[in-house]
């Protein structure tokens, strides 16, 4: 790990941190996760819950670090008491938090319940959160990182909160870096037209666009058919598209060449939260480290399958040795 063991994000990075070249940067929102022990509609006074830390940016960053990439988180956290354990958890996961900024706002949070299929609702508290203050001013302060690193991961959630994701993607793309983008459409966060406009601007910058079908695809490219979805995303300019179609299947479209990939079965699923982020973080990390697309995707699907053994977005981040072993075993079947 290149970052400090204690979470002490500074307004200006140290000279040593500023000169570090990262394999993967992850831009976005970090959230406090409150995990209820029952379905939300059944929650009553006294329902037990546990606190952890998640958000698509932290989930992807943790996965990238576990996959062997030197990884840094580009985010804004709050000034409340939860910022210390939040950043400590990120550092424990191997993510460099030395470039994280602070804002005089509370951290965003969300409530969810355990689910093995990934089809569930969330209750979010984001209004005036620290994460929502992420701005192009922050992107300008991170320019030396963005232009000197191999890959960037960002999402539609980040874009809905701030125009910063587009500015970051443009900077990395212009410098010859790789951009991975997950539209991650959330109807409670943004409208379809706004999400489509952001997609149209970022898709031409992406080396990998990961999306869900029908979830994202139906809202953003008007189809629930994975092949059609992949073609429409590529028509927008995405170089390679990975479409998850349920928990067990992934369609990869690389320049019009289609391949179907089965996802290794996890016999003991607990919670699918963050599995897509784990795929994106792992796949991007392995691409940044020089793996072929086929190998990177195999590792990504294996890591995503393993990740559902834990509760919450970072409840279980599989070590790469286990990910590689599962990917190899799955290829032999």
């Amino acid at each position: 790990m290149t970052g400090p063991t204690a979470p002490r994000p500074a307004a200006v990075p140290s000279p040593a941190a500023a000169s570090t070249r990262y394999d993967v940067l992850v831009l976005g929102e970090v959230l406090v996760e409150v995990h209820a022990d029952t379905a939300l509609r059944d929650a009553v006074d006294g329902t037990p819950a546990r606190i952890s830390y998640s958000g698509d940016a932290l989930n992807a960053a943790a996965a990238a670090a576990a996959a062997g990439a030197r990884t840094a988180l580009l985010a804004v956290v709050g000034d409340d008491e939860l910022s210390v354990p939040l950043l400590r958890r990120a550092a424990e996961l191997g993510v460099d938090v030395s470039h994280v900024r602070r804002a005089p706002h509370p951290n965003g949070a969300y409530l969810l319940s355990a689910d093995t299929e990934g089809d569930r609702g969330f209750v979010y508290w984001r209004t005036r959160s620290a994460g929502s203050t992420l701005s192009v001013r922050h992107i300008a302060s991170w320019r030396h990182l963005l232009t000197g690193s191999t890959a960037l991961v960002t999402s539609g959630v980040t874009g809905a909160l701030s125009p910063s994701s587009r500015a970051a993607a443009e900077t990395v793309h212009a410098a010859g870096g790789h951009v991975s983008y997950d539209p991650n459409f959330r109807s409670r966060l943004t409208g379809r037209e706004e999400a489509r406009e952001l997609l149209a601007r970022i898709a031409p910058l992406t080396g990998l666009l990961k999306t869900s079908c029908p979830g994202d695809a139906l809202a953003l490219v008007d189809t629930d058919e994975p092949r059609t979805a992949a073609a429409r995303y590529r028509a927008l300019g995405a170089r390679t598209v990975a479409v998850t179609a349920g928990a067990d299947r992934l369609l990869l479209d690389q320049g019009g060449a289609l391949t179907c990939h089965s996802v290794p079965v996890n016999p003991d699923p607990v919670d699918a939260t963050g599995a897509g982020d784990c795929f994106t973080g792992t796949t991007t990390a392995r691409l940044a480290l020089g793996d072929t697309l086929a190998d990177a995707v195999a590792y990504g699907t294996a890591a995503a399958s393993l990740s559902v053994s834990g509760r919450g977005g970072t409840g279980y981040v599989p070590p790469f040795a286990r990910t590689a072993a599962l990917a190899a075993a799955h290829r032999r079947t």
Side-chain angles (χ1 to χ4, degrees), residues 250 261-264 279 282-283 296-306 326-327 330:
L250 180 138
H261 302 257
S262 61
V263 178
F279 169 83
T282 301
T283 303
V297 168
Y299 292 137
T301 55
S305 176
L306 290 168
L326 179 59
H330 186 63

Side-chain angles (χ1 to χ4, degrees), residues 161-197:
L161 292 169
S162 164
S164 59
S165 62
R166 190 180 77 198
E170 289 171 345
T171 300
V172 171
H173 180 74
H178 168 96
V179 177
S180 289
Y181 181 69
D182 184 344
N184 217 353
F185 178 68
R186 296 289 183 265
S187 60
R188 294 184 181 182
L189 183 60
T190 186
R192 290 176 64 184
E193 291 309 311
E194 291 85 352
R196 289 180 183 212
E197 180 180 354

Side-chain angles (χ1 to χ4, degrees), residues 211-235:
T211 186
S212 64
C213 187
D216 293 334
L218 196 58
L220 299 179
V221 290
D222 298 315
T223 183
D224 60 2
E225 203 288 309
R227 286 176 172 78
T228 303
R232 290 180 181 178
Y233 283 113
R234 280 204 315 105

Side-chain angles (χ1 to χ4, degrees), residues 33-252:
E33 181 181 81
V34 183
H35 215 295
D37 282 350
T38 186
L40 299 188
R41 68 177 64 87
D42 299 324
V44 296
D45 185 29
T47 294
R50 62 185 286 270
I51 289 179
S52 55
Y53 303 97
S54 185
D56 62 351
L58 180 57
N59 301 341
R70 179 175 289 180
T71 304
L73 179 66
L74 305 183
V76 181
V77 301
D79 60 355
D80 59 33
E81 291 79 359
L82 289 172
S83 293
V84 170
L86 184 159
L87 290 173
R88 182 183 299 122
R89 175 59 176 157
E92 290 169 354
L93 292 166
V95 178
D96 189 333
V97 297
S98 63
H99 307 287
V100 172
R101 306 290 195 252
R102 287 190 183 271
H105 296 272
N107 288 295
Y110 73 111
L111 174 67
L112 77 162
S113 59
D115 175 79
T116 59
E117 300 299 325
D119 183 18
R120 62 218 176 282
F122 299 91
V123 177
Y124 287 96
W125 296 278
R126 274 194 175 109
T127 303
R128 293 184 58 79
S129 70
S132 68
T133 69
L134 184 65
S135 70
V136 292
R137 174 176 57 85
H138 293 110
I139 301 306
S141 75
W142 291 320
R143 181 176 176 80
H144 62 291
L145 301 172
L146 294 164
T147 57
S149 297
T150 305
L152 171 73
V153 176
T154 189
S155 77
V157 170
T158 308
L161 292 169
S162 164
S164 59
S165 62
R166 190 180 77 198
E170 289 171 345
T171 300
V172 171
H173 180 74
H178 168 96
V179 177
S180 289
Y181 181 69
D182 184 344
N184 217 353
F185 178 68
R186 296 289 183 265
S187 60
R188 294 184 181 182
L189 183 60
T190 186
R192 290 176 64 184
E193 291 309 311
E194 291 85 352
R196 289 180 183 212
E197 180 180 354
L198 178 64
L199 172 65
R201 290 176 178 271
I202 288 189
L205 310 174
T206 62
L208 175 67
L209 190 151
K210 178 268 171 192
T211 186
S212 64
C213 187
D216 293 334
L218 196 58
L220 299 179
V221 290
D222 298 315
T223 183
D224 60 2
E225 203 288 309
R227 286 176 172 78
T228 303
R232 290 180 181 178
Y233 283 113
R234 280 204 315 105
L236 290 172
R239 190 160 69 245
T240 299
V241 181
V243 183
T244 56
D248 60 353
R249 186 164 65 101
L250 180 138
L251 176 73
L252 191 66

